[in-house]
Amino acid sequence: MEYYNGILCISHDDLTRNDAPEGKPSDAIMGESNYKKLASGKKCKEKINVVRPGKGANAYALVEVASIPSRFLQLVNQKYPNQGINMILRKWFDEHYYPDTEAREVYSSFRFDNGKPIPPEKQVEYVTNASVLGAVISLFNDRKIMKKAMGGRVRWDEMAEAVAYYQEKYGHTLPGNPARFKEKVQQFQSGGYGALISKKFRNQNTRKVSVQIEKLILSIAAQPTNPYNNTIHELFTQFMSGEIDICDPQTGELFDRKDFFDKKGKPLELSEATIWNYVNNPKNQILLGKLRNTQWDFNNKYTPHHNRHSPFFSFSKISLDDRDLPRKAHGGQRPKAYYVYDVTSGCVIGYAHSRTKDVDLFIDCVRNMFRTIERNGWCMPAQAEVEHHLVNNFADGLMKAGVVFPFVRWCNPGNSQEKRAEHGNRAKKYGVEKNNHVGIGRWYNKKEVNRPKIDKEYDELNNTYKEKTFSYEELVADDIRDIYEYNNENHPNNKLYPNMTRWQVLCDNMNPDLRPMDKAILYRFIGEHTQTTIRRTQYMQVANRKFALSSPNVVEALASNDYKVDAYYLPDEEGNIDEVYIYQGDSYIDTCKPLGSYNEATCEQTDEDVTEYIEQSKYVSQFRKMVKDEKIQKVVIIPREEKEALESVEAKAVMIPAPVEHEEEEGAEEYNPFLNSDYMKSYARAAL
């Protein structure tokens, strides 16, 4: 047999040659006629693969051994028994080898004592070995093939040879020695997948440092001074040698160095490399980072984050956040700004500016947003996303879910990447603002183009920098212009909103399930407030202007003998007030419109004067109708003495004989003076 192009072959001559002595039966593996039939495959179902035809001067035909039918492979083994080649086993293994998926899962998830995984190349090796041994074990259960190949019992030399034959094809590292191969099969049967992991490889990955010692190393590394690795190694060595003591600051208990000795009872010695490996382990870096870093740095470097996508409709969610404008005003302070972003479009729908970051800045921003909403006839946003800073004072009122906004999302403190408004601030800053102004960026930014140029003045203070400043009014005006330009830029998601600006996405893509604003509730939280008094059942005075009740019957809702009310209103950008909402305590009373006036000179009256006259006349008519409909019934007050005398007279009147009966004309009514109340009263008084 020989290899031809990597294929094990047997020659045509070896298959058809008769080496038996004369007079003896032929020992040819197959006859010439059988060979031709199998080679052509025309007159039989089976076919051999002739990989090289016997053409040429020194050429001879070669047949792939694996393609020879099993009945002829048995004859090959009988004819060449001393070669130790079991063709039936080779063919069976070639047809029944499958990668062991369970072994792949086991070895990929395996960890040594020091927490390290099996290297990828070793994982491939162990999976291949397990797959080969799995085929060998499954062969033991195939009695038919076992009887054909080895007479019904395991011949380990033939088994090992057949497996070793495929070493180059499958890349396994199983031993070729029959005794060692048998031992490996038995170990795999009893020990499973773990039996294939080399003991030498296990010993190299044995955990020298216990969990307790690792925690000690990390505790030393977590000192407030953030020591370097060589300092950690030095402190650990001093502790193990008894030069220093380490204690728990919470309990005051000293660590016992004997608890950290090795198995032989000697102080454990660790190299700087070992210390470095444990300190820089990714998991340990997270634990140390929690102690060494600020909450903001830790969240942005280590903490996993949620993967989200923006809502499709405008006003499904808005996000609010404050910021310092990047350029300084005269005096070195940066103006403060508060923005409201629509998450879908990215538009700034509300803004406010101030010299200080306080609650008024937040309220002014919310007022600006609702003025924009009212001016455009939009509905109430479905959800507001806010932070605890500044807004926490409104948690039980304006920013309580279901009061003004149906849903309210409170962001976690120190997690700036959670707020969509932070994303909007960054897009605005490094977009419109950077293009329009000089010096936008941060000196520590990773990108050089986003680092502003700042020159330091080396004076006695050593903390002075040359930086251009501007007036507060100029910075605010620039920011308002930047907001307008930013809102009218193309939306960044051009695929979803092609050729649409942020403002167009905001206006044309409103959520259809939104509800109108309830300004009576809203203005109580964000509006201006004043106390006033209802006068003449008609009006009250707010901001030097009269506002009329919607109806005279409104006074019925007032508390007893109390005409004072709380008025809430929100002036527009020009200071005009369209409506005033009045309350007494927590009870809503009425929505009041401005009370107009008309020219009393008929010759000068306009259509507006006539309309105003009619409206006021209607109101007066409603008042008169209310007074008339609710007219109080008049009564006569009878003193007690008169009542007793009246009762006495009525009792005597019963004893007066009845009048003489006489015929009356049909239809005439009987008159009884004692049944007339006025008559009885006058009679009683006369009797007295």
Side-chain angles (χ1 to χ4, degrees):
M1 299 182 190
E2 60 183 274
Y3 282 97
Y4 179 76
N5 291 336
I7 301 174
L8 182 66
C9 301
I10 188 171
S11 67
H12 163 269
D13 183 60
D14 287 329
L15 289 174
T16 60
R17 186 178 67 250
N18 179 18
D19 295 328
E22 278 188 46
K24 296 289 184 179
S26 173
D27 65 350
I29 296 173
M30 65 178 64
E32 186 67 32
S33 59
N34 278 340
Y35 177 85
K36 291 180 179 181
K37 288 180 181 179
L38 292 172
S40 63
K42 293 181 180 180
K43 296 183 179 181
C44 60
K45 297 180 180 180
E46 299 169 318
K47 187 178 185 303
I48 59 175
N49 180 24
V50 181
V51 297
R52 187 182 73 179
K55 297 179 180 179
N58 298 319
Y60 50 90
L62 291 175
V63 177
E64 182 182 5
V65 174
S67 66
I68 299 174
S70 299
R71 63 182 184 278
F72 294 112
L73 286 178
Q74 288 180 299
L75 298 177
V76 172
N77 289 335
Q78 294 175 7
K79 188 172 184 178
Y80 305 108
N82 296 329
Q83 295 187 18
I85 300 174
N86 193 320
M87 294 299 163
I88 298 177
L89 289 180
R90 290 187 179 186
K91 184 177 179 65
W92 193 92
F93 285 133
D94 197 35
E95 293 175 350
H96 293 80
Y97 172 85
Y98 301 102
D100 191 336
T101 55
E102 184 179 355
R104 182 182 294 112
E105 181 180 353
V106 170
Y107 293 127
S108 63
S109 60
F110 181 85
R111 295 295 182 271
F112 291 102
D113 292 341
N114 61 0
K116 291 185 178 181
I118 301 174
E121 63 276 6
K122 282 292 183 181
Q123 291 184 31
V124 174
E125 175 186 337
Y126 294 156
V127 170
T128 303
N129 290 350
S131 302
V132 173
L133 292 175
V136 170
I137 294 173
S138 63
L139 173 67
F140 296 159
N141 300 323
D142 193 337
R143 296 182 179 180
K144 185 176 181 181
I145 197 68
M146 283 287 292
K147 185 175 182 180
K148 285 185 178 181
M150 295 177 290
R153 63 184 181 87
V154 180
R155 296 176 181 173
W156 288 105
D157 54 345
E158 294 184 9
M159 185 78 75
E161 189 279 331
V163 172
Y165 167 71
Y166 288 107
Q167 184 172 8
E168 183 177 349
K169 182 174 182 180
Y170 299 129
H172 68 78
T173 57
L174 295 171
N177 181 275
R180 291 189 57 205
F181 180 74
K182 177 182 178 180
E183 181 183 0
K184 183 64 68 176
V185 172
Q186 292 174 345
Q187 290 176 354
F188 185 75
Q189 285 180 304
S190 59
Y193 296 112
L196 298 182
I197 302 176
S198 172
K199 292 183 179 179
K200 181 179 179 181
F201 195 59
R202 280 180 178 271
N203 293 335
Q204 292 174 352
N205 290 276
T206 301
R207 188 183 184 100
K208 183 178 181 180
V209 177
S210 65
V211 175
Q212 189 177 13
I213 295 176
E214 182 178 3
K215 289 183 177 180
L216 176 62
I217 295 172
L218 295 179
S219 297
I220 297 174
Q223 295 298 303
T225 55
N226 294 337
Y228 296 114
N229 291 333
N230 58 347
T231 306
I232 300 172
H233 174 261
E234 181 180 349
L235 293 173
F236 178 81
T237 303
Q238 291 175 357
F239 170 72
M240 296 304 297
S241 62
E243 297 180 28
I244 62 173
D245 289 325
I246 298 177
C247 72
D248 186 338
Q250 294 182 349
T251 63
E253 182 182 3
L254 291 174
F255 283 74
D256 189 352
R257 58 182 50 84
K258 293 182 180 180
D259 294 338
F260 304 96
F261 285 2
D262 58 18
K263 295 180 180 179
K264 297 180 181 179
K266 296 182 179 180
L268 184 65
E269 296 182 3
L270 300 179
S271 64
E272 285 191 28
T274 302
I275 297 290
W276 187 94
N277 287 332
Y278 280 96
V279 170
N280 289 278
N281 177 275
K283 180 181 178 181
N284 293 339
Q285 281 289 294
I286 295 173
L287 300 177
L288 291 172
K290 181 65 176 177
L291 300 174
R292 292 176 173 177
N293 299 327
T294 63
Q295 183 66 31
W296 189 90
D297 291 331
F298 181 79
N299 283 341
N300 285 275
K301 187 174 182 179
Y302 297 109
T303 305
H305 62 85
H306 291 251
N307 188 23
R308 307 171 293 173
H309 63 269
S310 298
F312 180 77
F313 290 112
S314 304
F315 272 28
S316 291
K317 182 180 180 181
I318 61 174
S319 184
L320 298 82
D321 192 30
D322 65 279
R323 66 173 294 210
D324 291 354
L325 295 185
R327 297 181 296 164
K328 290 183 179 179
H330 300 320
Q333 298 297 322
R334 290 185 172 88
K336 316 303 178 186
Y338 214 104
Y339 300 138
V340 182
Y341 289 89
D342 171 60
V343 175
T344 299
S345 63
C347 274
V348 178
I349 58 175
Y351 60 85
H353 300 88
S354 177
R355 299 179 187 273
T356 57
K357 188 183 296 184
D358 52 20
V359 174
D360 291 338
L361 178 64
F362 165 73
I363 287 296
D364 288 342
C365 178
V366 175
R367 288 171 177 168
N368 181 270
M369 175 187 67
F370 281 110
R371 289 191 185 103
T372 303
I373 292 175
E374 186 174 8
R375 184 170 59 251
N376 290 275
W378 296 332
C379 292
M380 176 67 66
Q383 182 179 11
E385 179 182 72
V386 293
E387 60 182 356
H388 290 268
H389 179 55
L390 296 183
V391 191
N392 198 41
N393 294 333
F394 303 92
D396 296 328
L398 174 62
M399 285 303 166
K400 183 177 181 180
V403 176
V404 175
F405 300 99
F407 304 98
V408 176
R409 163 73 179 166
W410 291 89
C411 295
N412 295 317
N415 188 15
S416 59
Q417 63 186 358
E418 179 182 0
K419 288 177 291 186
R420 286 296 183 181
E422 287 278 3
H423 303 180
N425 287 342
R426 179 175 179 82
K428 177 175 173 288
K429 178 178 180 179
Y430 292 106
V432 171
E433 294 179 10
K434 182 174 173 58
N435 294 334
N436 293 344
H437 313 293
V438 177
I440 302 298
R442 296 183 178 182
W443 61 269
Y444 53 84
N445 202 296
K446 292 182 179 180
K447 292 185 177 181
E448 185 177 354
V449 294
N450 289 333
R451 297 180 201 156
K453 181 181 178 181
I454 301 177
D455 295 326
K456 183 176 182 179
E457 293 184 359
Y458 295 94
D459 54 10
E460 66 278 4
L461 299 176
N462 200 34
N463 62 353
T464 307
Y465 298 87
K466 297 179 181 179
E467 192 172 358
K468 186 177 180 180
T469 60
F470 306 84
S471 69
Y472 172 82
E473 293 74 17
E474 183 180 1
L475 292 175
V476 171
D478 285 346
D479 190 52
I480 294 175
R481 282 192 294 270
D482 291 339
I483 290 172
Y484 179 81
E485 183 177 343
Y486 170 80
N487 285 346
N488 287 277
E489 284 185 334
N490 283 339
H491 194 280
N493 192 345
N494 190 48
K495 184 177 180 181
L496 185 60
Y497 309 106
N499 301 321
M500 295 179 68
T501 65
R502 290 186 176 94
W503 191 261
Q504 287 174 331
V505 174
L506 174 69
C507 298
D508 300 344
N509 209 44
M510 279 288 173
N511 191 319
D513 296 327
L514 300 178
R515 295 291 179 263
M517 290 191 301
D518 189 347
K519 291 189 286 186
I521 296 177
L522 175 63
Y523 284 13
R524 192 182 176 197
F525 297 107
I526 70 170
E528 302 288 348
H529 169 250
T530 186
Q531 281 193 334
T532 185
T533 303
I534 296 177
R535 301 180 183 277
R536 299 194 63 171
T537 323
Q538 182 183 22
Y539 67 90
M540 77 285 305
Q541 202 155 12
V542 175
N544 298 321
R545 188 175 180 183
K546 294 179 179 179
F547 288 83
L549 299 176
S550 61
S551 168
N553 293 301
V554 170
V555 296
E556 186 179 358
L558 298 176
S560 299
N561 197 31
D562 188 1
Y563 291 90
K564 292 183 179 180
V565 292
D566 293 304
Y568 298 92
Y569 58 96
L570 185 63
D572 59 16
E573 289 84 350
E574 299 176 357
N576 299 321
I577 303 174
D578 295 331
E579 290 178 325
V580 170
Y581 302 91
I582 58 174
Y583 283 78
Q584 272 194 338
D586 294 331
S587 300
Y588 166 72
I589 303 299
D590 193 20
T591 300
C592 304
K593 300 285 186 179
L595 178 61
S597 63
Y598 62 87
N599 194 327
E600 62 184 83
T602 306
C603 63
E604 295 183 10
Q605 286 181 348
T606 63
D607 293 341
E608 289 78 9
D609 291 321
V610 174
T611 302
E612 184 62 31
Y613 172 79
I614 294 174
E615 291 299 323
Q616 293 192 31
S617 297
K618 288 181 179 178
Y619 190 91
V620 174
S621 297
Q622 291 177 7
F623 173 79
R624 289 174 176 171
K625 184 177 184 303
M626 178 187 72
V627 174
K628 181 180 179 181
D629 292 345
E630 301 293 335
K631 182 179 180 181
I632 300 176
Q633 181 180 1
K634 294 182 179 180
V635 297
V636 175
I637 306 300
I638 302 176
R640 183 173 183 181
E641 294 80 3
E642 293 186 7
K643 180 181 178 183
E644 292 176 351
L646 179 62
E647 291 175 351
S648 175
V649 172
E650 289 178 346
K652 293 178 180 180
V654 174
M655 300 174 62
I656 297 176
V660 180
E661 295 183 358
H662 60 276
E663 295 182 357
E664 295 183 355
E665 296 181 0
E666 185 178 355
E669 294 182 357
E670 181 180 359
Y671 175 75
N672 188 346
F674 297 101
L675 299 180
N676 187 288
S677 60
D678 291 336
Y679 172 82
M680 288 298 298
K681 290 178 183 177
S682 60
Y683 181 86
R685 289 191 178 93
L688 291 173

